[in-house]
Amino acid sequence: MYKFVSVFKTNIQTLTDKILILEGLKSLKSPLIVSLDLEDEDRVLRVEANEHIVPLIVGKVDEYNFKCEELDSFLMGIPLRSMSLS
């Protein structure tokens, strides 16, 4: 079971681009479970990982000239923005 779940809004449109991005994300060293919903108006990319890797995900998607904006991230089901990280 992965501890972190992050959800992103993207501008990925086609199945070909989806496959390209999913393959690119496989190159990250962290084990991931990734899905990309092309039917959703936000083209939602969902990533499950053992660590918080939002900057890596955004950077990798950017390498392929697509936009990727974090909508929310969760640690074991709790939104990170509601946690005090001090």
Side-chain angles (χ1 to χ4, degrees):
M1 181 173 145
Y2 293 98
K3 294 180 187 177
F4 288 92
V5 175
S6 298
V7 182
F8 304 87
K9 176 179 178 176
T10 73
N11 66 340
I12 299 163
Q13 298 288 324
T14 68
L15 181 58
T16 301
D17 292 337
K18 175 181 177 175
I19 293 168
L20 180 70
I21 292 298
L22 296 181
E23 288 297 316
L25 291 173
K26 284 183 181 180
S27 72
L28 298 175
K29 295 187 183 215
S30 183
L32 307 171
I33 296 176
V34 182
S35 64
L36 178 57
D37 185 357
L38 295 178
E39 299 297 319
D40 187 279
E41 69 182 42
D42 288 333
R43 309 296 192 263
V44 172
L45 173 65
R46 184 177 187 276
V47 179
E48 296 179 46
N50 286 320
E51 56 190 307
H52 191 248
I53 59 169
V54 168
L56 293 175
I57 299 295
V58 172
K60 182 56 76 174
V61 173
D62 186 58
E63 283 180 26
Y64 292 95
N65 297 312
F66 291 103
K67 293 181 182 176
C68 183
E69 173 188 345
E70 180 187 17
L71 295 175
D72 214 343
S73 286
F74 303 86
L75 172 59
M76 298 177 73
I78 301 170
L80 288 179
R81 69 178 109 165
S82 71
M83 299 177 129
S84 173
L85 298 176
S86 53

